[in-house]
Structures are given as structure tokens and as C-alpha cells.
């Protein structure tokens, strides 16, 4: 979890407190995130076949 928080801080540019909230949200909702991504069609834009991880079968 610390690595995720550190990556959010360094790559996204948010403060540590906000990154901790985001990480906790992701942890609490991990089972639903693939469905949300599939519904949003963001999976189509993920590189390297990652879209298949989220239900995109192209």
C-alpha cells in the first residue's frame, strides 16, 4: 500500500493525505473497479492488452 501511495504522490502530484484516501478507496472497492472501467470504455485506451483484464475482449 505504501508503494501505491508513494506513486500517487510522485506521479499524480497529490499530497500524501489525499493519496492515502485514494489508496483506501481503491482497496475497499477493488472488486468493482474493473466493472467501472469497462463501463467507462477506458479499458479500450489501456496499453499492452491491459484492457483484457477489465473485460475488453477486442
Amino acid at each position: 500500500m505504501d508503494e501505491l501511495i508513494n506513486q500517487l504522490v510522485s506521479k499524480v502530484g497529490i499530497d500524501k493525505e489525499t493519496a492515502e484516501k485514494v489508496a483506501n478507496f481503491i482497496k475497499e472497492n477493488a472488486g468493482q473497479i474493473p466493472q467501472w472501467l469497462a463501463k467507462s470504455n477506458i479499458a479500450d485506451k489501456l496499453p499492452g492488452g491491459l484492457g483484457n483484464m477489465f473485460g475488453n475482449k477486442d
Side-chain angles (χ1 to χ4, degrees), residues 7-33:
Q7 291 292 325
L8 287 168
V9 170
S10 69
K11 294 190 180 215
V12 179
I14 58 177
D15 61 85
K16 186 172 181 176
E17 183 179 341
T18 302
E20 289 171 347
K21 289 178 184 178
V22 171
N24 285 327
F25 175 84
I26 291 170
K27 183 178 176 183
E28 292 170 2
N29 295 283
Q32 296 176 310
I33 292 173

Side-chain angles (χ1 to χ4, degrees), residues 4 15 20 36 49 54 56:
L4 175 59
D15 61 85
E20 289 171 347
W36 296 338
F54 301 106
N56 180 9

Side-chain angles (χ1 to χ4, degrees), residues 31-49:
Q32 296 176 310
I33 292 173
Q35 296 166 355
W36 296 338
L37 292 173
K39 286 180 183 177
S40 73
N41 294 326
I42 196 170
D44 296 337
K45 296 172 179 51
L46 295 174

